[in-house]
Amino acid sequence: MGFAAVLSPAVWNGFPLVFADTGGYLERWSERSLDIGRSALYGAFLAAGVPLRFWPNVAVQAALTVWIVALVLRVNGLGGRPVLLGSVMVGLSALTSLPWYVGQLMPDIFLPLAVLAIYLLALPRQALTRREIAGLIAVVGIAIALHMSILALSLVLTLALGLLKPVAARLRIAAPRLAWPAASLVAGLLLAPVANLAITGTFALTPGGTTFLFGRLVQDGIVAEYLADHCPDRTLRLCQYRNRLPTAADDWLWSYQSPLHRLGWWRAFEPEAGRIIRESLAEHPGRHLLAAGAGSVRQLGRFKTGEGMGSADNWHAESVLLRTAPGAVAPFRASRQQNDELDFTLINIVQVPLACLAMAALVLFAARRWPPGARPAGWLAATCLIALFANAAICGVFSNPNDRYQSRIVWLAPFAVMIALLVRARAGTPALSLRTGIGHSPDRAASASMTGEAERNRQ
C-alpha cells in the first residue's frame, strides 16, 4: 500500500515525472562528460531504466523511501505494523510533497532520504541489524555522489552530531554515534569522483559550485557593484558586459544570450568567476553576509510543490529523450504533465500551511525533554529541524532561492511530527505535555519497553 501510494502521481501521470534538468543528467551518461550540477552517476542510473521507460528508476526510489520510513517507525517502537506503515505512507503521499519527488526522474528524493539515514545511523541504542547499517551507509554514500548539495547537508549534520557529542552527558542524553555517519560521508566523498572517473574519465567531484554561487551574486547585484568599482580592466572579460548583466541567476546560468555563454560557458569563465567572488568578498564582506542571510531566509519560506513541472519547462528533456530513449518519447508526450493537466493549486493550499505548522511544532518537539523510551522521536525532530534550516542556508547561499529546493525536503517536518504524535499516543501521554527541564526523572518503563523491542527486532 505504501509503495503504491508514493508512486501514485507518476502512475496517474502515465509516465515518471520529468523536470527540466532530467535531460542534463541523462546526457552525462550518453556523452560521458561532466557538467555543472549534473551527476554522471545519476545519469547512469537513468540510462539503466531506458528499456522499461524509466519505471524501474522510480520503483527503486519508492522502495528505498518505504524501507527507510519503515526503519524510522521501528526505532521509535512503531514497527511490525504493516497497516500503520501503509497509513503513514498514504498520509504523507496525500498531504506532503513526498510522492512528487519519489516519482520524478531527479536525484532530489535522495536528499531527505540521506537525512533520515544519517538520523538512523547516529541514533543511540539503535535497533538495526548489520545489514541495515551497511545499507544505510550505502544510501548516504550514493546520495552524496548523486548531488553535491547532499554532500553539503550531510557534512552539516555530521558536524552537528560532533558538536553535540561532548555535551551529551551534561544534557543527560545518550551521545550520538559518529562512526557510522562519518563512514557514510567518507563513502560518498570516495564514490563521487570514482564514479565520475569510471563514467567520464575525469577524477573529480561534480562541478558547479563556483558557477552557481556566481549566479546568485549576479542576482543580488554584488557582481554589478564589483564591476562598477573595477572596470575598465583588461584582465576582466566580464567588463564588456557590465551594462548587460541579467537580473536573475537562472538567466545568467541558462539563457543562451547570457554573458556566461558568450564568454565560453562555465569552464572558460570559472577562473574569472572565482577571482570576482574572492575579491568582492574581501572588499565587502558585510554585503555578502547580508545577501547570504536574506537568501537563506527566503529559501526557508519557499516550498510550494510543482515548480518547473509544466510542459514548457521540458523542451530540453524531450530533445535528450529523442536521442537517448526514443521508445519513451511517445508515452512522455502523452503524459498528463506534457499536456499541462497537472494543477498544484489545491495541493499547495493543503501542503503549504501544513508544512508551516509542522515546522513550528518541530521547534517545540526538538526543545522538549523526552523520556528515554521516546527519545528517538525527539532526535528525529531535532535532526529534521537542523536539516531544514541547513538546506535553506546551503541553497540560499550557494544558489538562489527556488521552491523546489525546500519542497523536496519539507515533507520531513510533517513526518517527524507524525512520529512524535504516534509515540506519545502509544505512551498515552499528550504530545505537548513533555517536561522541559533537564533533571526530570527518566521513564524507566518506557526505556525497558524500547530495549525489549530492540532485542526482538534483532532476533
Side-chain angles (χ1 to χ4, degrees):
M1 181 167 65
F3 181 83
V6 292
L7 280 182
S8 56
V11 173
W12 176 79
N13 183 54
F15 191 80
L17 298 161
V18 173
F19 187 72
D21 296 346
T22 300
Y25 284 101
L26 197 54
E27 275 183 325
R28 305 288 62 76
W29 172 258
S30 64
E31 296 179 1
R32 300 297 198 275
S33 64
L34 292 179
D35 203 356
I36 54 171
R38 306 291 180 264
S39 163
L41 183 60
Y42 194 75
F45 172 66
L46 290 181
V50 167
L52 296 178
R53 299 175 179 177
F54 304 105
W55 286 110
N57 304 97
V58 293
V60 168
Q61 292 175 179
L64 284 175
T65 302
V66 174
W67 175 59
I68 290 179
V69 168
L71 289 182
V72 173
L73 287 171
R74 198 177 82 199
V75 301
N76 282 278
L78 302 167
R81 307 177 193 178
V83 174
L84 177 60
L85 173 61
S87 300
V88 168
M89 298 308 304
V90 169
L92 290 173
S93 299
L95 300 174
T96 77
S97 59
L98 171 63
W100 298 97
Y101 294 98
V102 170
Q104 191 175 99
L105 299 177
M106 288 284 289
D108 290 0
I109 187 57
F110 287 90
L111 181 72
L113 294 186
V115 171
L116 294 178
I118 290 173
Y119 154 77
L120 290 165
L121 291 170
L123 195 66
R125 304 185 184 90
Q126 308 150 320
L128 300 175
T129 66
R130 292 181 179 177
R131 287 184 180 180
E132 288 166 345
I133 291 172
L136 291 168
I137 291 174
V139 167
V140 178
I142 291 171
I144 288 172
L146 296 182
H147 204 284
M148 290 296 97
S149 67
I150 303 178
L151 169 60
L153 184 55
S154 301
L155 181 59
V156 170
L157 287 176
T158 304
L159 289 174
L161 292 170
L163 293 173
L164 178 61
K165 192 176 181 70
V167 299
R170 270 187 220 172
L171 298 175
R172 297 187 183 180
I173 60 173
R177 295 173 183 247
L178 291 179
W180 298 134
S184 66
L185 190 62
V186 171
L189 284 169
L190 292 174
L191 178 60
V194 168
N196 284 336
L197 177 65
I199 296 169
T200 71
T202 302
F203 185 80
L205 296 174
T206 303
T210 299
T211 303
F212 286 108
L213 173 57
F214 193 87
R216 199 265 295 169
L217 298 184
V218 169
Q219 180 168 295
D220 287 339
I222 293 175
V223 171
E225 292 176 10
Y226 175 88
L227 294 178
D229 292 340
H230 292 81
C231 294
D233 184 335
R234 292 183 179 179
T235 64
L236 289 172
R237 296 187 298 152
L238 191 57
C239 280
Q240 60 185 303
Y241 298 101
R242 57 174 292 193
N243 295 320
R244 287 179 281 170
L245 288 178
T247 57
D250 286 344
D251 291 337
W252 167 262
L253 291 167
W254 310 118
S255 171
Y256 288 121
Q257 304 305 314
S258 166
L260 178 62
H261 290 265
R262 295 178 180 276
L263 291 172
W265 193 215
W266 65 272
R267 288 186 188 276
F269 185 68
E270 191 168 38
E272 186 169 316
R275 172 189 166 184
I276 293 174
I277 292 171
R278 290 190 302 272
E279 292 183 359
S280 64
L281 182 59
E283 293 170 6
H284 303 287
R287 177 78 169 87
H288 275 266
L289 185 61
L290 288 173
S296 301
V297 172
R298 289 198 303 272
Q299 182 60 78
L300 186 63
R302 290 191 59 173
F303 44 80
K304 289 182 179 179
T305 302
E307 181 184 62
M309 292 182 64
S311 62
D313 301 305
N314 291 328
W315 62 270
H316 181 254
E318 182 173 4
S319 70
V320 177
L321 289 176
L322 283 167
R323 289 184 280 110
T324 61
V329 173
F332 166 72
R333 288 175 172 170
S335 69
R336 286 182 165 88
Q337 180 182 13
Q338 286 308 105
N339 287 278
D340 290 320
E341 296 177 26
L342 301 185
D343 186 351
F344 292 92
T345 304
L346 182 59
I347 291 172
N348 286 316
I349 287 175
V350 174
Q351 291 183 6
V352 171
L354 179 64
C356 290
L357 291 172
M359 285 192 287
L362 275 191
V363 176
L364 296 176
F365 289 149
R368 289 181 178 271
R369 190 76 180 137
W370 292 77
R375 280 182 185 164
W379 281 92
L380 179 62
T383 301
C384 292
L385 191 63
I386 293 170
L388 287 166
F389 277 93
N391 182 70
I394 291 165
C395 297
V397 172
F398 293 99
S399 186
N400 62 299
N402 282 281
D403 281 297
R404 179 175 67 92
Y405 293 153
Q406 200 73 356
S407 176
R408 62 191 177 185
I409 193 176
V410 77
W411 66 268
L412 289 179
F415 176 53
V417 170
M418 190 184 300
I419 293 296
L421 295 175
L422 288 169
V423 167
R424 298 312 297 165
R426 181 198 63 192
T429 306
L432 295 179
S433 69
L434 300 171
R435 300 184 182 182
T436 56
I438 291 178
H440 77 286
S441 59
D443 184 349
R444 295 184 180 179
S447 181
S449 172
M450 287 292 292
T451 303
E453 182 156 0
E455 289 301 319
R456 289 193 296 275
N457 285 327
R458 287 182 185 277
Q459 293 171 5

